Amino acid sequence: MTQHNMQVRGIHKGFGAFQALDGVSLDVEAGELVCLLGPSGCGKTTLLRCIAGLEKQDRGSIVIGSRDVSNLPPQARDYGILFQSYALFPNLSVAQNIAYGLSGDSREVVRARVSEMLELVGLLGSEKKYPGQLSGGQQQRVALARALAPKPSLLLLDEPMSALDARVREHLCGELRQLQKNLGVTTLMVTHNQDEAMLMADRIAVMNQGHVEQYATPQQIYNQPATPFVAEFVGQGNWLPFACGQDGSARVGGLQVQLPQAKALQQGRLFCRPEAVVINPHEGIDNQFHAQMRDVTFLGNRCRMNFELTDLPGLTLQAELSPEAMPRLASQDIRVALPSSSLQVFA
Amino acid sequence: MTAQPHINLQAPAQRNHVVGKSHAGWADRLFIEGGKGLLLVLLVVAVLLPLLAMLWRGFGGDGGGLGAAYELFSSANFRWLLFNSLSVSTTVALIVVPLAYLFAYALQRTLIAGKGVWRAISLLPLMAPSMLPGIALIYLFGNQGILRGLFADNIYGFWGIVLGEVIYTFPHALMILISALSLADARLFDAASSMGASPWRAFRSITWPGSRQGVFAAFCLVFTLTITDFGVPVVVGGDYQVLALEAYKAVVGQQQFGRGALIGMVLLIPALLSFGVDMWLRRRSRDSMSGRAQVYHPQPSRLRDSVFLGIVILVCAALLLVFGMAIFSSLVKFWPYNLSLVLDHYSFSDLPGGWSAYSNSLILATCSAVFGSLLIFTGAYLMEKTRQNTLTQILRMLSFIPMAVPGLVLGLGYVFFFNLPSNPLSGLYGTLTLLVVCTIAHFLTTAQMTASTALRQLDGEFEAAALSLKMPLAKHYLRVTLPICLPALLDIIRYLFVSAMTTVSAAIFLYSPDSMLAAVAVLNMDDAGNVGGAAAMSTLILLTSAGVSVLLATVSRGLLMRSQAWRQADERNLKPLPTGGASRLAGAA
């Protein structure tokens, strides 16, 4: 499959007074899988529909490969799309569904292509079945085969996993990702589920209120969130308000806190992932405090502990640790460390 | 991630392989804009302009105007007609709605046997022109009727009209109430009985609030149907005159067009009022049923079921008596002196053109059903599934007008619009073509609502998926949409066919000797005293309508069986597929 990159430049789209997209730009490299991640109403689906030509952007351009498709109708844009509902045509068999986009070719070519696609998604032998006779996961694969059959330059996935139950979902995420890698088809996927995005994406664009908050690899999104929104939306975290004294040291309540690097800020918020909190730390770690344990929740492969810093009552913090670490926490009074290397500073 | 393999923004943006595909875009635009344009032309020429012509004629033109209006409305004769119309319509609605409610309740909320049979019998009046009940009443209770002792005076007059209209409007009310009572959430009934509520209390607090809007709608429909119908009054009215009959006589008999237009406008008022209030109520009570509702299955109760079975049997017996009488009288040689059964009345020898009225009606019904259903269904598809714009909004608004306009009023509008010598379309006046146009326009709203309901049940992304696969929209419509919606389409075909066979309200103003229709012939033969011939033609219409309905239902069932593989399987997994919305197809005014 020939690979195409895509450039989205300054897309604006309003619905009446509501600004759904406020100057969104996005580069997708050839063969890459990019996830648009965000809460509902953030504009991710609108962006996908603009790229698909199902909505007309007010301003901005979309280039796929070297073609400017900004003003082309959907039929001329050359993409395949997998909808949340799959939109399989119930009155057509699996083979007829897959052949739906192959109308220009000879019968032999179509038949060969359909078999090829069915083999690709592991459904050989289901040609004559109807979509209603397949399970949800199988339907998704047929819809994917149908979208890919005409060899599109771009694959669009609109919340592809949300109609499936959790157990099937994780398995299919991996399968879909593998398939996409093997074919090397440039792919843009919309999801509100961060696990799916983490599992599948080369890069994630976290969206909020019509713009892209951060566009980076999953590791960067998680470990170095660019904005408070990204930090809060992806994963769990603790927030600590701080103020800087005259001497440049930061104080959280009555506590002196070491920052990762000096910041020219009067005040701000510190962000720390629960798993970065160290319980009963050894001497070499900075930012050690006394704390009171409040409760512990057992989550199977890990435990979540709620605690308060002794000198900062009223602010409940979270730590995650392995269950083996639990028995050692005999008393209410513990020592914790929020290592400066794990702190993020936001204004 | 920073390496960018082959980006070349400077390269010419558009390439040649777009050209081949712009062809598909062009065909799509023709399909979408052409289809919408055709519908717009139909709605403007066949609905909007005739109505405006009537208003213009009523307020301006000779015989109309404010002076004439004042003169008409202040006359004692008009007030007498208005009083008669109002009392007949109110009485009919007060009888029909409770009766239809009990009948609908029996079909939807009890476990009586033979529901399909009772339902089929109750729909009989839809299959015949409104004159048929009147004719049957004359043979039953008239001066020489077999049961004439039952009525003190005779059937001609107030009670004759009321009885005839009750029979004629019963299935219309029944359809609305059946659909109002079809929605029931079992969880509410479980909650009520767990709190110790009696069945009567459960009815008052659950069933009645859920169905009273349907009761109101049924009341309005029956009232409007009755006040604008002249088929029954013309047959059994005698000296008891009503407004609808007066409008008909003013235009057809006396050529007093201004007077006809004014009365037409008066008859438009109740229809518009009830339509407006109904729309308002509908908007208010939207989504009162939650998506998680569970289907209610009535518990067995011998007392309740036997009482309701009794009611249902009584109603059906009365209907069968009336329709049996009409069929029987059409076969009697010379009522009441020679009761031998012959087919003499079916020769229609004293009808100009004889059987051609019947064949004209067949042509009209077939053309209306075929062209109408395709146009209406395709129009609904384009309105539902393509990008919404001002044109779509205009079409939506225009397509609601026919629902609020009684056939009598629409027919009057056609007289004033198409009979104008200066109208380039006046050549159509009196032709079957115009009758087809008028029939499609008259029954458009109900058919279109059925189509829209079916189309809305389809996945909203089907079209987007088809476009991404570069399938032209028209081809997608034929390959996917129509096959899935075929049951609903057949339902619309049946509705248009039967309506075209039975209606006289608009057609009475539009036929010429060459385009005489069966239902109009019934009216004319009855007027000329040939009641046997009128009964025979009514029977023919009844048998044709019923026959075609059964045929289409069989075809529909056959198609459902053939497509069972995907339909049944699909219902387990995805949204239920449209199997047709018979309940909507009642309100043929």
Side-chain angles (χ1 to χ4, degrees), chain B residues 75-149:
Chain B
S75 70
N77 179 254
F78 175 80
R79 267 180 275 154
W80 178 66
L81 291 169
L82 183 65
F83 175 79
N84 288 353
S85 276
L86 291 177
S87 40
V88 164
S89 307
T90 313
T91 313
V92 170
L94 287 176
I95 295 173
V96 166
V97 173
L99 203 60
Y101 194 92
L102 288 174
F103 203 107
Y105 193 90
L107 291 184
Q108 295 291 53
R109 301 286 173 92
T110 72
L111 294 170
I112 59 169
K115 283 181 181 174
V117 178
W118 310 131
R119 197 181 161 126
I121 294 173
S122 71
L123 295 183
L124 273 178
L126 287 179
M127 306 284 160
S130 62
M131 286 77 70
L132 185 139
I135 292 167
L137 287 177
I138 288 176
Y139 281 105
L140 284 169
F141 305 114
N143 290 332
Q144 294 166 329
I146 48 176
L147 298 172
R148 61 183 168 278

Side-chain angles (χ1 to χ4, degrees), chain B residues 2-309:
Chain B
T2 46
Q4 303 203 338
H6 48 263
I7 298 177
N8 189 358
L9 273 173
Q10 276 70 44
Q14 257 136 328
R15 288 279 182 79
N16 50 0
H17 75 283
V18 184
V19 178
K21 280 151 194 164
S22 73
H23 170 73
W26 197 82
D28 275 2
R29 204 169 305 165
L30 183 73
F31 175 54
I32 295 170
E33 305 306 330
K36 285 184 184 174
L38 199 64
L39 194 63
L40 182 69
V41 169
L42 177 81
L43 285 167
V44 168
V45 172
V47 178
L48 193 62
L49 290 178
L51 275 180
L52 291 177
M54 192 193 72
L55 295 181
W56 175 76
R57 200 61 191 260
F59 284 125
D62 51 334
L66 288 178
Y70 180 76
E71 198 179 315
L72 173 70
F73 296 147
S74 60
S75 70
N77 179 254
F78 175 80
R79 267 180 275 154
W80 178 66
L81 291 169
L82 183 65
F83 175 79
N84 288 353
S85 276
L86 291 177
S87 40
V88 164
S89 307
T90 313
T91 313
V92 170
L94 287 176
I95 295 173
V96 166
V97 173
L99 203 60
Y101 194 92
L102 288 174
F103 203 107
Y105 193 90
L107 291 184
Q108 295 291 53
R109 301 286 173 92
T110 72
L111 294 170
I112 59 169
K115 283 181 181 174
V117 178
W118 310 131
R119 197 181 161 126
I121 294 173
S122 71
L123 295 183
L124 273 178
L126 287 179
M127 306 284 160
S130 62
M131 286 77 70
L132 185 139
I135 292 167
L137 287 177
I138 288 176
Y139 281 105
L140 284 169
F141 305 114
N143 290 332
Q144 294 166 329
I146 48 176
L147 298 172
R148 61 183 168 278
L150 280 177
F151 270 83
D153 271 338
N154 59 28
I155 192 72
Y156 300 97
F158 179 80
W159 286 108
I161 302 179
V162 167
L163 263 182
E165 299 286 8
V166 164
I167 295 163
Y168 165 58
T169 57
F170 181 76
H172 294 274
L174 182 65
M175 287 290 209
I176 292 183
L177 293 170
I178 282 179
S179 99
L181 285 169
S182 67
L183 302 171
D185 189 345
R187 296 172 308 166
L188 293 179
F189 289 91
D190 291 346
S193 66
S194 74
M195 288 186 283
S198 68
W200 170 242
R201 175 113 194 261
F203 173 83
R204 271 189 325 175
S205 52
I206 305 168
T207 310
W208 174 249
S211 57
R212 66 182 164 206
Q213 191 205 328
V215 170
F216 176 79
F219 191 94
C220 289
L221 179 65
V222 170
F223 187 92
T224 309
L225 279 174
T226 306
I227 207 167
T228 58
D229 176 61
F230 54 83
V232 175
V234 85
V235 177
V236 289
D239 295 331
Y240 195 87
Q241 306 270 301
V242 292
L243 276 178
L245 194 55
E246 182 66 19
Y248 161 64
K249 286 199 298 192
V251 171
V252 172
Q254 304 152 359
Q255 304 282 306
Q256 290 183 322
F257 291 119
R259 185 177 166 85
L262 283 171
I263 297 177
M265 278 156 61
V266 173
L267 291 177
L268 193 54
I269 293 171
L272 285 179
L273 267 183
S274 54
F275 177 75
V277 177
D278 188 46
M279 290 305 272
W280 180 67
L281 282 180
R282 214 175 277 256
R283 194 158 300 169
R284 257 185 21 156
S285 73
R286 190 177 281 174
D287 294 332
S288 57
M289 279 288 280
S290 83
R292 278 180 299 167
Q294 287 165 11
V295 181
Y296 171 71
H297 294 289
Q299 298 299 310
S301 153
R302 279 188 69 175
L303 177 68
R304 180 201 63 199
D305 289 353
S306 9
V307 169
F308 276 101
L309 187 62

Side-chain angles (χ1 to χ4, degrees), chain A residues 201-323:
Chain A
D202 289 313
R203 281 194 287 173
I204 297 174
V206 182
M207 291 186 66
N208 181 35
Q209 296 185 344
H211 65 270
V212 175
E213 295 262 344
Q214 187 175 12
Y215 184 32
T217 64
Q219 291 80 3
Q220 287 168 321
I221 296 273
Y222 191 80
N223 294 326
Q224 292 123 41
T227 66
F229 175 82
V230 176
E232 196 140 20
F233 187 75
V234 180
Q236 305 282 330
N238 296 306
W239 292 95
L240 295 152
F242 75 93
C244 282
Q246 269 90 357
D247 55 347
S249 65
R251 302 190 71 81
V252 175
L255 300 169
Q256 185 91 21
V257 178
Q258 188 71 40
L259 296 187
Q261 62 266 60
K263 289 265 177 174
L265 278 172
Q266 282 298 311
Q267 54 187 18
R269 290 191 295 165
L270 294 175
F271 177 76
C272 173
R273 295 279 178 205
E275 65 273 20
V277 177
V278 186
I279 314 291
N280 293 336
H282 53 80
E283 286 303 311
I285 305 179
D286 55 3
N287 289 338
Q288 297 203 8
F289 309 106
H290 284 284
Q292 251 75 47
M293 194 165 88
R294 288 290 168 243
D295 56 68
V296 174
T297 316
F298 179 62
L299 298 171
N301 57 351
R302 60 198 202 285
C303 286
R304 179 172 297 154
M305 181 181 80
N306 288 322
F307 65 95
E308 285 174 24
L309 298 180
T310 311
D311 293 328
L312 199 66
L315 183 69
T316 306
L317 302 177
Q318 266 186 6
E320 275 191 14
L321 53 161
S322 64

Side-chain angles (χ1 to χ4, degrees), chain B residues 444-467:
Chain B
L444 180 129
T445 312
T446 319
Q448 187 187 288
M449 279 163 75
T450 306
S452 293
T453 308
L455 287 166
R456 272 183 213 148
Q457 286 168 6
L458 300 186
D459 190 326
E461 309 286 15
F462 278 174
E463 277 63 36
L467 288 179

